[in-house]
Amino acid sequence: MAAPAAAPAQAQTVASDLNEPVPPPGEGEPVPPPPAEEEVPPPAEEVPPPVEEEVPPPAEEEVPPPAEEEVPPGEEEVPPPGEEEAPPPGEEEAPPAEGEAQVLPADGEDAPPVQEVALPTLTATEIKTQVDTSISGSALSAAEKAKAQKSLDSLLAIINNPQSTPSQKATAESLATGMGEALKLSKDATVSKEDQARFEKIARGISEASLKFTDPKATIGDLLLYGMVLEDLNRVVTNLTDKTLTPEAKAFYSKWADVLLGGLVAVEQPGAAPTKPEDKKKVKENLQKNAAALKTYQSASASESERSAAKQTLDEQAAATSNDKYQELVEELKRLKAPQACLDVVQNRTQQAGWPDGSLWALTDKSCVATVKAGAADTNSDWSALFSCVTTQAFSTCTARIPE
């Protein structure tokens, strides 16, 4: 997975909030009363001058650092590589114009960094009541409801734990509330059918990622990955529930909700996720890359070059099904009379995991089995070697067989 060395330094807000050991009470909250009490008492005779002079300095020196160190990490510390290394000359401009319209307007005026809305603040009891109701009244399957309930319980455990820090509790409350809001909107008759389906997927995504993230066996790489995904999904749902959201911003968040959710399906959903370890690793890396790019692009504190690079990554993902080779593959599948189910899964997984990984992954789907076998047997076709490869080897090792 992701390089372990980078994980501790790049731990996301969600990761640091929910997974790090609970610190002793009062951590991060400077307590200046002692100096204040010693400065007020008039009797200077009882308190030797040295004591009064030594106590105030530490208090004054300790207060500023926490304030300055806590704000940046909370705001955005995603790309620790440093903003000084990122801005090489010539890369300050926005990415190629071809992908501009697919993510945001050309000049990026409506970039989400300025969108900071919040879900309603509720007590733990209110959260439990509302989310329980949303889960039971949702269209989720029995298995999905059980998973969502388990996820809610794990978040409530953090909220109700007296040793959880305020930051940990706030994050857990936000995720639980977000899942409940998404489920509620998935049944809202005033919401379009497309948005209802999207909100249901978002709720399932938060549930899935929360369980993976709170798994005591989670690796450093998984903590980094699912921490980023949770943070992005939470930002997506809070903005999509904002009635004042601009059409451009709504299109942005809707698109990337679909990309992130598709990535989660690609990595985790039983029966759909890749089965070979190397394939699953490859798809997971794509999900992490997109989640990190989305977070950086939304960050108001990221440098122009960092946001430009992140936008290029997002544009490439958004344009995956416009790739010339992808189009050639689709034409070859049509020539082989592939069923519509196969063509649909190729399109969906390409949107989820990109080109070529998503497309090659789709070729291993049961709906494409007969078509791929027929293509492998047609040795007169330039695509024959690729089809043969994906039937016998991990699809992530077959990219070299894509025709030139």
Short mmCIF file of all heavy atoms in Angstrom, two decimals, residues 76 78 103-104 112-113 228-229 231-233 235-236 252-253 255-260 287-299 307 309-311 313-314:
data_model
loop_
_atom_site.label_atom_id
_atom_site.label_comp_id
_atom_site.label_asym_id
_atom_site.label_seq_id
_atom_site.Cartn_x
_atom_site.Cartn_y
_atom_site.Cartn_z
N GLU A 76 -5.34 22.28 6.85
CA GLU A 76 -4.92 21.45 5.73
C GLU A 76 -3.44 21.16 5.85
O GLU A 76 -2.62 22.06 5.82
CB GLU A 76 -5.13 22.18 4.40
CG GLU A 76 -6.55 22.18 3.93
CD GLU A 76 -7.08 20.78 3.73
OE1 GLU A 76 -6.30 19.87 3.51
OE2 GLU A 76 -8.29 20.59 3.82
N VAL A 78 -2.33 18.32 4.13
CA VAL A 78 -2.31 17.16 3.25
C VAL A 78 -0.99 16.95 2.55
O VAL A 78 -0.37 15.93 2.66
CB VAL A 78 -3.39 17.31 2.16
CG1 VAL A 78 -3.39 16.10 1.26
CG2 VAL A 78 -4.72 17.50 2.82
N VAL A 103 -14.51 19.43 -14.49
CA VAL A 103 -14.39 19.51 -13.05
C VAL A 103 -14.95 20.83 -12.52
O VAL A 103 -15.87 20.86 -11.75
CB VAL A 103 -12.90 19.35 -12.62
CG1 VAL A 103 -12.79 19.48 -11.12
CG2 VAL A 103 -12.38 18.01 -13.09
N LEU A 104 -14.41 21.93 -12.99
CA LEU A 104 -14.87 23.25 -12.56
C LEU A 104 -14.69 24.23 -13.70
O LEU A 104 -14.01 23.95 -14.68
CB LEU A 104 -14.03 23.74 -11.37
CG LEU A 104 -14.35 23.13 -10.00
CD1 LEU A 104 -13.39 23.69 -8.98
CD2 LEU A 104 -15.78 23.44 -9.59
N PRO A 112 -14.31 24.56 -4.48
CA PRO A 112 -14.88 24.29 -3.17
C PRO A 112 -14.11 24.71 -1.93
O PRO A 112 -14.66 24.63 -0.87
CB PRO A 112 -15.04 22.78 -3.19
CG PRO A 112 -15.12 22.46 -4.63
CD PRO A 112 -14.30 23.47 -5.34
N PRO A 113 -12.81 25.10 -2.03
CA PRO A 113 -12.12 25.43 -0.79
C PRO A 113 -12.88 26.43 0.07
O PRO A 113 -12.79 26.39 1.27
CB PRO A 113 -10.80 26.04 -1.25
CG PRO A 113 -10.61 25.53 -2.62
CD PRO A 113 -11.95 25.20 -3.17
N MET A 228 -8.60 9.63 4.39
CA MET A 228 -8.81 10.61 3.33
C MET A 228 -10.19 10.46 2.70
O MET A 228 -10.88 11.44 2.43
CB MET A 228 -7.74 10.45 2.24
CG MET A 228 -6.39 11.03 2.62
SD MET A 228 -5.24 11.09 1.22
CE MET A 228 -4.91 9.35 0.95
N VAL A 229 -10.60 9.21 2.46
CA VAL A 229 -11.91 8.96 1.85
C VAL A 229 -13.03 9.47 2.75
O VAL A 229 -13.97 10.12 2.28
CB VAL A 229 -12.10 7.46 1.56
CG1 VAL A 229 -13.53 7.18 1.13
CG2 VAL A 229 -11.14 7.01 0.46
N GLU A 231 -12.87 11.79 5.05
CA GLU A 231 -12.85 13.26 5.11
C GLU A 231 -13.47 13.84 3.84
O GLU A 231 -14.26 14.80 3.90
CB GLU A 231 -11.40 13.74 5.27
CG GLU A 231 -11.31 15.18 5.71
CD GLU A 231 -9.93 15.54 6.22
OE1 GLU A 231 -9.06 14.66 6.28
OE2 GLU A 231 -9.73 16.71 6.57
N ASP A 232 -13.15 13.26 2.69
CA ASP A 232 -13.72 13.75 1.43
C ASP A 232 -15.22 13.50 1.35
O ASP A 232 -15.99 14.37 0.93
CB ASP A 232 -13.01 13.09 0.24
CG ASP A 232 -11.63 13.70 -0.02
OD1 ASP A 232 -11.38 14.80 0.48
OD2 ASP A 232 -10.83 13.07 -0.73
N LEU A 233 -15.66 12.30 1.74
CA LEU A 233 -17.09 11.99 1.70
C LEU A 233 -17.86 12.88 2.65
O LEU A 233 -18.98 13.31 2.36
CB LEU A 233 -17.33 10.52 2.05
CG LEU A 233 -16.97 9.49 0.98
CD1 LEU A 233 -17.22 8.07 1.50
CD2 LEU A 233 -17.79 9.72 -0.30
N ARG A 235 -17.06 15.90 3.55
CA ARG A 235 -17.12 17.24 2.94
C ARG A 235 -18.14 17.26 1.81
O ARG A 235 -18.88 18.22 1.62
CB ARG A 235 -15.73 17.63 2.41
CG ARG A 235 -15.68 19.06 1.87
CD ARG A 235 -14.29 19.43 1.39
NE ARG A 235 -13.37 19.65 2.50
CZ ARG A 235 -12.39 18.84 2.83
NH1 ARG A 235 -12.20 17.73 2.15
NH2 ARG A 235 -11.59 19.10 3.83
N VAL A 236 -18.19 16.16 1.06
CA VAL A 236 -19.15 16.06 -0.05
C VAL A 236 -20.58 16.14 0.46
O VAL A 236 -21.40 16.90 -0.06
CB VAL A 236 -18.93 14.73 -0.83
CG1 VAL A 236 -20.14 14.42 -1.70
CG2 VAL A 236 -17.69 14.84 -1.71
N PHE A 252 -19.52 19.62 -9.15
CA PHE A 252 -18.20 19.19 -8.70
C PHE A 252 -18.33 18.10 -7.63
O PHE A 252 -17.75 17.01 -7.74
CB PHE A 252 -17.43 20.38 -8.14
CG PHE A 252 -16.09 20.03 -7.54
CD1 PHE A 252 -14.94 20.04 -8.32
CD2 PHE A 252 -15.97 19.67 -6.21
CE1 PHE A 252 -13.71 19.71 -7.78
CE2 PHE A 252 -14.74 19.34 -5.66
CZ PHE A 252 -13.62 19.36 -6.45
N TYR A 253 -19.09 18.39 -6.59
CA TYR A 253 -19.22 17.44 -5.48
C TYR A 253 -19.94 16.16 -5.91
O TYR A 253 -19.61 15.08 -5.43
CB TYR A 253 -19.93 18.09 -4.30
CG TYR A 253 -19.05 19.05 -3.54
CD1 TYR A 253 -19.28 20.43 -3.59
CD2 TYR A 253 -17.96 18.60 -2.81
CE1 TYR A 253 -18.45 21.32 -2.91
CE2 TYR A 253 -17.12 19.48 -2.14
CZ TYR A 253 -17.38 20.84 -2.20
OH TYR A 253 -16.54 21.70 -1.53
N LYS A 255 -19.90 14.80 -8.92
CA LYS A 255 -18.97 14.02 -9.73
C LYS A 255 -17.98 13.27 -8.85
O LYS A 255 -17.74 12.07 -9.02
CB LYS A 255 -18.20 14.94 -10.69
CG LYS A 255 -17.15 14.19 -11.51
CD LYS A 255 -16.35 15.15 -12.39
CE LYS A 255 -17.20 15.74 -13.48
NZ LYS A 255 -17.61 14.72 -14.48
N TRP A 256 -17.42 13.98 -7.84
CA TRP A 256 -16.39 13.32 -7.05
C TRP A 256 -16.95 12.42 -5.97
O TRP A 256 -16.26 11.52 -5.49
CB TRP A 256 -15.40 14.37 -6.54
CG TRP A 256 -14.64 14.81 -7.73
CD1 TRP A 256 -14.79 15.96 -8.44
CD2 TRP A 256 -13.72 14.01 -8.48
NE1 TRP A 256 -14.01 15.94 -9.57
CE2 TRP A 256 -13.34 14.76 -9.62
CE3 TRP A 256 -13.18 12.74 -8.31
CZ2 TRP A 256 -12.44 14.27 -10.57
CZ3 TRP A 256 -12.29 12.26 -9.24
CH2 TRP A 256 -11.93 13.04 -10.36
N ALA A 257 -18.22 12.59 -5.65
CA ALA A 257 -18.87 11.60 -4.78
C ALA A 257 -18.91 10.29 -5.55
O ALA A 257 -18.59 9.22 -5.03
CB ALA A 257 -20.29 12.04 -4.41
N ASP A 258 -19.29 10.37 -6.82
CA ASP A 258 -19.39 9.17 -7.64
C ASP A 258 -18.02 8.50 -7.83
O ASP A 258 -17.91 7.27 -7.80
CB ASP A 258 -19.99 9.51 -9.01
CG ASP A 258 -21.45 9.97 -8.90
OD1 ASP A 258 -22.06 9.71 -7.85
OD2 ASP A 258 -21.95 10.59 -9.84
N VAL A 259 -16.99 9.31 -8.03
CA VAL A 259 -15.65 8.75 -8.23
C VAL A 259 -15.17 8.04 -6.97
O VAL A 259 -14.67 6.92 -7.01
CB VAL A 259 -14.65 9.86 -8.62
CG1 VAL A 259 -13.21 9.34 -8.56
CG2 VAL A 259 -14.95 10.37 -10.04
N LEU A 260 -15.31 8.70 -5.82
CA LEU A 260 -14.86 8.11 -4.56
C LEU A 260 -15.66 6.86 -4.21
O LEU A 260 -15.11 5.85 -3.77
CB LEU A 260 -14.98 9.13 -3.42
CG LEU A 260 -14.03 10.32 -3.49
CD1 LEU A 260 -14.40 11.34 -2.43
CD2 LEU A 260 -12.59 9.87 -3.29
N LEU A 287 -7.63 4.81 -5.89
CA LEU A 287 -8.58 5.45 -4.99
C LEU A 287 -7.85 6.44 -4.09
O LEU A 287 -8.31 7.58 -3.88
CB LEU A 287 -9.29 4.39 -4.15
CG LEU A 287 -10.21 4.92 -3.02
CD1 LEU A 287 -11.30 5.82 -3.58
CD2 LEU A 287 -10.82 3.76 -2.24
N GLN A 288 -6.71 6.03 -3.56
CA GLN A 288 -5.95 6.92 -2.68
C GLN A 288 -5.46 8.15 -3.44
O GLN A 288 -5.52 9.27 -2.92
CB GLN A 288 -4.75 6.17 -2.08
CG GLN A 288 -3.91 7.05 -1.14
CD GLN A 288 -2.87 6.24 -0.40
OE1 GLN A 288 -2.97 5.03 -0.30
NE2 GLN A 288 -1.86 6.91 0.12
N LYS A 289 -5.01 7.95 -4.67
CA LYS A 289 -4.52 9.07 -5.47
C LYS A 289 -5.63 10.09 -5.71
O LYS A 289 -5.44 11.30 -5.57
CB LYS A 289 -3.99 8.55 -6.82
CG LYS A 289 -3.49 9.65 -7.75
CD LYS A 289 -3.02 9.07 -9.08
CE LYS A 289 -4.20 8.56 -9.89
NZ LYS A 289 -3.79 8.11 -11.25
N ASN A 290 -6.83 9.60 -6.05
CA ASN A 290 -7.95 10.51 -6.31
C ASN A 290 -8.43 11.21 -5.05
O ASN A 290 -8.75 12.40 -5.06
CB ASN A 290 -9.11 9.73 -6.94
CG ASN A 290 -8.83 9.32 -8.37
OD1 ASN A 290 -8.11 10.00 -9.08
ND2 ASN A 290 -9.37 8.19 -8.78
N ALA A 291 -8.48 10.47 -3.93
CA ALA A 291 -8.92 11.06 -2.66
C ALA A 291 -7.95 12.17 -2.23
O ALA A 291 -8.37 13.24 -1.78
CB ALA A 291 -9.02 9.99 -1.58
N ALA A 292 -6.66 11.90 -2.38
CA ALA A 292 -5.64 12.90 -1.99
C ALA A 292 -5.72 14.12 -2.91
O ALA A 292 -5.61 15.26 -2.46
CB ALA A 292 -4.25 12.27 -2.06
N ALA A 293 -5.93 13.89 -4.21
CA ALA A 293 -6.01 15.00 -5.16
C ALA A 293 -7.23 15.86 -4.87
O ALA A 293 -7.17 17.10 -4.92
CB ALA A 293 -6.06 14.45 -6.58
N LEU A 294 -8.35 15.22 -4.57
CA LEU A 294 -9.57 15.97 -4.29
C LEU A 294 -9.38 16.84 -3.05
O LEU A 294 -9.76 18.01 -3.02
CB LEU A 294 -10.74 15.00 -4.07
CG LEU A 294 -12.09 15.64 -3.69
CD1 LEU A 294 -12.53 16.62 -4.76
CD2 LEU A 294 -13.14 14.56 -3.49
N LYS A 295 -8.77 16.29 -2.03
CA LYS A 295 -8.53 17.03 -0.79
C LYS A 295 -7.61 18.22 -1.03
O LYS A 295 -7.87 19.33 -0.56
CB LYS A 295 -7.94 16.10 0.27
CG LYS A 295 -7.69 16.79 1.61
CD LYS A 295 -7.23 15.79 2.65
CE LYS A 295 -6.83 16.47 3.94
NZ LYS A 295 -7.94 17.21 4.56
N THR A 296 -6.55 18.00 -1.79
CA THR A 296 -5.61 19.09 -2.08
C THR A 296 -6.29 20.17 -2.91
O THR A 296 -6.11 21.37 -2.66
CB THR A 296 -4.38 18.55 -2.84
OG1 THR A 296 -3.71 17.58 -2.02
CG2 THR A 296 -3.41 19.68 -3.17
N TYR A 297 -7.06 19.76 -3.91
CA TYR A 297 -7.71 20.73 -4.77
C TYR A 297 -8.71 21.58 -4.01
O TYR A 297 -8.91 22.76 -4.30
CB TYR A 297 -8.42 20.03 -5.94
CG TYR A 297 -9.01 20.99 -6.92
CD1 TYR A 297 -8.18 21.81 -7.70
CD2 TYR A 297 -10.39 21.11 -7.08
CE1 TYR A 297 -8.70 22.72 -8.58
CE2 TYR A 297 -10.92 22.01 -7.97
CZ TYR A 297 -10.09 22.82 -8.73
OH TYR A 297 -10.61 23.72 -9.61
N GLN A 298 -9.33 21.03 -2.98
CA GLN A 298 -10.31 21.76 -2.18
C GLN A 298 -9.65 22.61 -1.10
O GLN A 298 -10.32 23.40 -0.45
CB GLN A 298 -11.26 20.77 -1.51
CG GLN A 298 -12.19 20.05 -2.47
CD GLN A 298 -12.97 18.96 -1.75
OE1 GLN A 298 -12.40 18.16 -1.03
NE2 GLN A 298 -14.26 18.93 -1.95
N SER A 299 -8.37 22.41 -0.90
CA SER A 299 -7.69 23.09 0.19
C SER A 299 -7.38 24.55 -0.12
O SER A 299 -6.69 24.86 -1.10
CB SER A 299 -6.38 22.35 0.52
OG SER A 299 -5.60 23.12 1.41
N ARG A 307 -2.45 22.76 -6.23
CA ARG A 307 -3.84 22.65 -6.70
C ARG A 307 -3.88 22.36 -8.19
O ARG A 307 -4.74 21.64 -8.69
CB ARG A 307 -4.62 23.92 -6.37
CG ARG A 307 -4.79 24.16 -4.88
CD ARG A 307 -5.77 25.30 -4.59
NE ARG A 307 -7.11 24.87 -4.89
CZ ARG A 307 -7.98 25.56 -5.65
NH1 ARG A 307 -7.60 26.70 -6.18
NH2 ARG A 307 -9.19 25.11 -5.86
N ALA A 309 -1.63 20.66 -9.93
CA ALA A 309 -1.28 19.25 -10.11
C ALA A 309 -2.45 18.35 -9.70
O ALA A 309 -2.75 17.36 -10.37
CB ALA A 309 -0.03 18.91 -9.29
N ALA A 310 -3.12 18.72 -8.60
CA ALA A 310 -4.27 17.93 -8.14
C ALA A 310 -5.39 17.98 -9.16
O ALA A 310 -6.03 16.96 -9.46
CB ALA A 310 -4.76 18.46 -6.79
N LYS A 311 -5.61 19.14 -9.74
CA LYS A 311 -6.68 19.29 -10.73
C LYS A 311 -6.38 18.46 -11.97
O LYS A 311 -7.27 17.88 -12.59
CB LYS A 311 -6.85 20.76 -11.11
CG LYS A 311 -8.05 21.01 -12.04
CD LYS A 311 -8.25 22.49 -12.28
CE LYS A 311 -9.53 22.72 -13.07
NZ LYS A 311 -9.50 22.12 -14.40
N THR A 313 -4.79 15.64 -12.02
CA THR A 313 -5.12 14.26 -11.66
C THR A 313 -6.62 14.03 -11.74
O THR A 313 -7.09 13.03 -12.28
CB THR A 313 -4.64 13.95 -10.23
OG1 THR A 313 -3.21 14.02 -10.19
CG2 THR A 313 -5.07 12.56 -9.79
N LEU A 314 -7.40 14.99 -11.21
CA LEU A 314 -8.86 14.87 -11.23
C LEU A 314 -9.39 14.90 -12.66
O LEU A 314 -10.29 14.14 -13.03
CB LEU A 314 -9.49 16.00 -10.42
CG LEU A 314 -9.15 16.03 -8.93
CD1 LEU A 314 -9.79 17.24 -8.26
CD2 LEU A 314 -9.61 14.77 -8.25
#
